[in-house]
Amino acid sequence: MKVKDILILCCDLLEDNNLKTYFTGGTPADSESAKADGELLLKCYNLITDEISREYYRLTTEETFTPTNGVVSLSQFMFNPVVINTVTSLDGGEVDYKVNPVKVYVDKTVRIGYAYACPERMIEEMSDFSFTKISKRVLAYGTITEYMLIKGMYEEAVTWRDKYRTSLYACLSVKKVKRIKKREWF
């Protein structure tokens, strides 16, 4: 799913046709306010995806690094790492390493698995949550919540926050299948 799709869903939920016209490429009735609100909605989307990726649902990836003088700088990573999960040799074996806030100390080429913070996205980019449990609707609810707070509509924000939290927790909860014991006849 593209970020644009999520923002259009936000417009549908807010029933804001002027803003929806802006995102779909048409000419909105009030283009200045539509542009300002569109940029604000995108900012809110980026805020909410950063929050989700740091606090609720960790996005993970792996990269291969060759250290320079025994150091792999975290600035070399494709994404902003939040937590280093694994450091292994290329064949999957254990490796001695140390991590500090800006570097990983290691003496050979390694594969590093880490959780990362969601980077800021533009309207035409793909969402980092495209193939995860987090649905488009959850992201839209969270985006609208932030949007309402910034706009000063606090009562509406509380309503949207409740929808956001309920749907987010529903996505993240693990539902175990209950098994009923077979009946035994005596």
Side-chain angles (χ1 to χ4, degrees):
M1 76 186 125
K2 285 189 172 184
V3 173
K4 183 179 188 178
D5 299 331
I6 297 162
L7 299 180
I8 289 172
L9 178 58
C10 291
C11 296
D12 289 339
L13 294 170
L14 291 169
E15 298 178 355
D16 189 338
N17 290 327
N18 192 46
L19 192 53
K20 185 176 180 178
T21 304
Y22 172 76
F23 284 124
T24 56
T27 306
D30 184 3
S31 60
E32 286 183 25
S33 72
K35 183 178 181 193
D37 286 346
E39 289 172 358
L40 178 59
L41 208 56
L42 178 61
K43 179 181 177 181
C44 293
Y45 167 80
N46 283 317
L47 287 170
I48 209 67
T49 55
D50 183 65
E51 175 189 326
I52 292 171
S53 68
R54 288 177 187 271
E55 297 176 25
Y56 299 105
Y57 187 85
R58 295 267 168 100
L59 298 169
T60 58
T61 190
E62 277 191 355
E63 292 184 58
T64 302
F65 295 98
T66 303
T68 306
N69 299 326
V71 174
V72 174
S73 173
L74 296 187
S75 64
Q76 293 175 274
F77 287 58
M78 184 185 313
F79 300 108
N80 179 21
V82 176
V83 175
I84 303 294
N85 295 328
T86 60
V87 179
T88 59
S89 63
L90 295 179
D91 63 357
E94 290 186 23
V95 175
D96 289 332
Y97 68 95
K98 288 186 180 181
V99 179
N100 79 10
V102 292
K103 299 175 187 169
V104 177
Y105 296 100
V106 66
D107 59 355
K108 59 182 169 182
T109 301
V110 291
R111 180 174 284 305
I112 300 177
Y114 62 97
Y116 62 91
C118 198
E120 286 194 8
R121 297 291 180 199
M122 300 305 293
I123 291 174
E124 292 298 327
E125 291 183 282
M126 292 295 289
S127 170
D128 291 277
F129 295 100
S130 293
F131 303 104
T132 65
K133 295 178 181 181
I134 309 298
S135 69
K136 182 176 12 175
R137 183 170 295 277
V138 172
L139 295 170
Y141 286 164
T143 302
I144 291 170
T145 301
E146 292 293 325
Y147 180 78
M148 293 289 176
L149 285 171
I150 291 171
K151 287 282 201 175
M153 296 182 252
Y154 302 114
E155 291 176 15
E156 292 91 342
V158 169
T159 303
W160 286 104
R161 183 201 64 205
D162 293 342
K163 289 181 181 183
Y164 165 62
R165 284 190 177 165
T166 302
S167 59
L168 180 63
Y169 292 144
C171 284
L172 298 178
S173 68
V174 178
K175 296 178 182 174
K176 293 184 180 180
V177 178
K178 293 184 179 179
R179 296 193 179 186
I180 300 172
K181 253 182 153 180
K182 282 185 186 179
R183 289 186 178 186
E184 295 179 4
W185 296 93
F186 294 99

Coordinates of all heavy atoms in Angstrom, one line a residue, residues 107-141:
D107 N 35.3 -7.8 14.6 CA 36.6 -8.0 13.9 C 36.5 -8.6 12.5 O 37.5 -8.8 11.9 CB 37.6 -8.7 14.8 CG 37.1 -10.1 15.2 OD1 36.0 -10.4 14.8 OD2 37.9 -10.8 15.8
K108 N 35.4 -9.0 12.0 CA 35.3 -9.6 10.7 C 33.9 -9.3 10.1 O 33.0 -8.7 10.7 CB 35.5 -11.1 10.8 CG 34.5 -11.9 11.7 CD 34.8 -13.3 11.7 CE 34.1 -14.1 12.7 NZ 34.4 -15.5 12.8
T109 N 33.8 -9.6 8.8 CA 32.5 -9.4 8.1 C 31.4 -10.1 8.7 O 31.5 -11.3 9.0 CB 32.7 -9.8 6.6 OG1 33.8 -9.1 6.0 CG2 31.4 -9.5 5.8
V110 N 30.3 -9.4 9.0 CA 29.2 -9.9 9.7 C 27.8 -9.6 9.1 O 27.7 -8.7 8.3 CB 29.1 -9.4 11.2 CG1 30.3 -9.9 12.0 CG2 29.1 -7.9 11.2
R111 N 26.8 -10.3 9.5 CA 25.5 -10.1 9.1 C 24.8 -9.6 10.4 O 24.8 -10.3 11.4 CB 24.8 -11.3 8.6 CG 23.3 -11.1 8.2 CD 22.7 -12.3 7.6 NE 23.1 -12.6 6.2 CZ 22.9 -11.8 5.1 NH1 22.6 -10.6 5.3 NH2 23.2 -12.3 3.9
I112 N 24.2 -8.4 10.4 CA 23.6 -7.8 11.5 C 22.1 -7.7 11.3 O 21.6 -7.1 10.3 CB 24.2 -6.4 11.8 CG1 25.7 -6.5 12.1 CG2 23.5 -5.7 13.0 CD1 26.4 -5.2 12.3
G113 N 21.3 -8.3 12.2 CA 19.9 -8.2 12.2 C 19.5 -7.1 13.2 O 20.0 -7.2 14.4
Y114 N 18.6 -6.2 12.8 CA 18.2 -5.2 13.7 C 16.8 -4.7 13.5 O 16.2 -4.9 12.4 CB 19.2 -4.0 13.6 CG 19.2 -3.3 12.2 CD1 18.4 -2.2 12.0 CD2 20.0 -3.8 11.2 CE1 18.4 -1.5 10.8 CE2 20.0 -3.2 10.0 CZ 19.2 -2.1 9.8 OH 19.2 -1.4 8.5
A115 N 16.2 -4.1 14.6 CA 14.9 -3.5 14.5 C 15.2 -2.0 14.2 O 16.1 -1.4 14.7 CB 14.1 -3.6 15.8
Y116 N 14.3 -1.4 13.3 CA 14.6 0.0 12.9 C 13.4 0.9 13.1 O 12.2 0.4 13.1 CB 15.1 0.0 11.5 CG 14.2 -0.5 10.4 CD1 13.3 0.4 9.8 CD2 14.2 -1.8 10.0 CE1 12.4 -0.1 8.8 CE2 13.3 -2.3 9.1 CZ 12.4 -1.4 8.4 OH 11.6 -1.9 7.5
A117 N 13.6 2.1 13.2 CA 12.6 3.1 13.3 C 12.1 3.4 11.8 O 13.0 3.5 10.9 CB 13.1 4.4 13.9
C118 N 10.9 3.6 11.6 CA 10.3 3.8 10.3 C 10.8 5.2 9.8 O 10.6 6.2 10.5 CB 8.8 3.8 10.5 SG 7.9 3.6 8.9
P119 N 11.4 5.2 8.6 CA 11.9 6.5 8.1 C 10.7 7.3 7.6 O 9.6 6.8 7.3 CB 12.8 6.0 6.9 CG 12.3 4.7 6.5 CD 11.7 4.1 7.7
E120 N 10.9 8.6 7.4 CA 9.9 9.5 6.9 C 9.7 9.1 5.4 O 10.6 8.9 4.7 CB 10.3 10.9 7.0 CG 10.2 11.4 8.4 CD 10.2 12.9 8.5 OE1 10.2 13.6 7.5 OE2 10.3 13.4 9.7
R121 N 8.4 9.1 5.0 CA 8.1 8.7 3.7 C 7.4 9.9 3.0 O 6.7 10.7 3.6 CB 7.1 7.5 3.7 CG 7.7 6.2 4.2 CD 8.8 5.7 3.3 NE 9.4 4.5 3.8 CZ 10.6 4.1 3.4 NH1 11.3 4.7 2.5 NH2 11.1 3.0 3.9
M122 N 7.4 9.9 1.7 CA 6.7 10.9 0.8 C 5.4 10.2 0.3 O 5.2 9.0 0.5 CB 7.6 11.3 -0.3 CG 8.9 12.0 0.1 SD 8.7 13.4 1.2 CE 8.0 14.5 0.2
I123 N 4.6 11.0 -0.2 CA 3.2 10.6 -0.6 C 3.3 9.4 -1.6 O 2.5 8.5 -1.5 CB 2.4 11.7 -1.2 CG1 2.1 12.8 -0.1 CG2 1.2 11.3 -1.9 CD1 1.5 14.0 -0.6
E124 N 4.2 9.4 -2.6 CA 4.2 8.3 -3.6 C 4.9 7.1 -3.2 O 5.0 6.1 -3.9 CB 4.7 8.9 -4.9 CG 3.8 9.9 -5.6 CD 2.5 9.4 -5.9 OE1 2.3 8.2 -6.3 OE2 1.5 10.1 -5.9
E125 N 5.6 7.1 -2.0 CA 6.3 5.9 -1.5 C 5.4 4.8 -0.9 O 4.3 5.1 -0.5 CB 7.4 6.4 -0.5 CG 8.5 7.2 -1.1 CD 9.6 7.5 -0.1 OE1 9.3 8.4 0.7 OE2 10.6 6.9 -0.1
M126 N 6.0 3.6 -0.8 CA 5.3 2.5 -0.2 C 5.4 2.7 1.3 O 6.4 3.1 1.8 CB 5.9 1.2 -0.6 CG 5.7 0.8 -2.1 SD 3.9 0.6 -2.5 CE 3.6 -1.0 -1.7
S127 N 4.4 2.3 2.0 CA 4.4 2.3 3.5 C 5.3 1.1 4.0 O 5.3 0.0 3.3 CB 3.0 2.1 4.0 OG 3.0 1.9 5.4
D128 N 5.9 1.3 5.0 CA 6.8 0.3 5.6 C 5.9 -0.9 6.2 O 6.4 -1.9 6.5 CB 7.7 0.8 6.7 CG 8.8 1.7 6.1 OD1 9.8 1.2 5.7 OD2 8.5 2.9 6.0
F129 N 4.6 -0.6 6.4 CA 3.7 -1.6 7.0 C 2.9 -2.3 6.0 O 1.9 -2.9 6.3 CB 2.8 -0.9 8.1 CG 3.6 -0.4 9.2 CD1 3.9 1.0 9.3 CD2 4.0 -1.2 10.2 CE1 4.6 1.5 10.4 CE2 4.7 -0.7 11.3 CZ 5.0 0.6 11.4
S130 N 3.3 -2.2 4.7 CA 2.5 -2.8 3.6 C 2.3 -4.3 3.8 O 1.2 -4.8 3.5 CB 3.2 -2.6 2.3 OG 3.2 -1.2 2.0
F131 N 3.2 -5.1 4.2 CA 3.1 -6.5 4.3 C 3.2 -7.0 5.8 O 3.9 -7.9 6.1 CB 4.1 -7.2 3.4 CG 4.0 -6.8 2.0 CD1 4.9 -5.9 1.5 CD2 2.9 -7.2 1.2 CE1 4.8 -5.5 0.2 CE2 2.8 -6.8 -0.1 CZ 3.7 -5.9 -0.6
T132 N 2.5 -6.2 6.7 CA 2.5 -6.6 8.1 C 1.1 -6.7 8.6 O 0.1 -6.5 7.9 CB 3.2 -5.4 8.9 OG1 2.5 -4.2 8.8 CG2 4.7 -5.2 8.4
K133 N 1.0 -6.9 9.9 CA -0.3 -7.0 10.6 C -1.0 -5.7 10.6 O -2.2 -5.6 10.8 CB -0.2 -7.5 12.0 CG 0.4 -8.9 12.1 CD 0.5 -9.2 13.6 CE 1.1 -10.6 13.9 NZ 1.2 -10.8 15.3
I134 N -0.3 -4.6 10.6 CA -0.8 -3.3 10.7 C -1.6 -2.9 9.4 O -1.0 -2.8 8.4 CB 0.3 -2.2 11.0 CG1 1.2 -2.7 12.2 CG2 -0.3 -0.9 11.3 CD1 0.5 -2.9 13.5
S135 N -2.9 -2.7 9.5 CA -3.7 -2.4 8.3 C -3.7 -0.9 8.0 O -3.3 -0.1 8.8 CB -5.1 -2.9 8.6 OG -5.7 -2.1 9.5
K136 N -4.2 -0.7 6.8 CA -4.3 0.7 6.3 C -5.2 1.5 7.2 O -5.0 2.7 7.5 CB -4.9 0.7 4.9 CG -5.0 2.0 4.2 CD -5.4 2.0 2.8 CE -6.0 0.8 2.1 NZ -6.5 1.1 0.7
R137 N -6.3 0.9 7.7 CA -7.3 1.6 8.5 C -6.6 2.0 9.9 O -6.9 3.1 10.3 CB -8.5 0.7 8.8 CG -9.5 1.3 9.6 CD -10.8 0.5 9.6 NE -11.5 0.4 8.3 CZ -12.3 1.4 7.8 NH1 -12.5 2.4 8.5 NH2 -12.8 1.2 6.6
V138 N -5.8 1.1 10.4 CA -5.1 1.4 11.7 C -4.2 2.7 11.5 O -4.2 3.6 12.3 CB -4.3 0.3 12.2 CG1 -3.4 0.6 13.4 CG2 -5.2 -0.9 12.6
L139 N -3.5 2.7 10.4 CA -2.6 3.8 10.1 C -3.4 5.1 9.9 O -3.0 6.2 10.3 CB -1.7 3.5 8.9 CG -0.7 2.4 9.1 CD1 0.0 2.0 7.8 CD2 0.3 2.7 10.2
A140 N -4.6 5.0 9.2 CA -5.4 6.1 9.0 C -6.0 6.7 10.3 O -6.0 7.9 10.5 CB -6.5 5.8 8.0
Y141 N -6.4 5.8 11.2 CA -7.0 6.2 12.5 C -5.9 7.0 13.3 O -6.1 8.0 13.9 CB -7.4 5.0 13.3 CG -8.7 4.4 12.9 CD1 -9.1 3.2 13.3 CD2 -9.6 5.1 12.0 CE1 -10.3 2.6 13.0 CE2 -10.8 4.5 11.7 CZ -11.2 3.2 12.1 OH -12.4 2.7 11.8

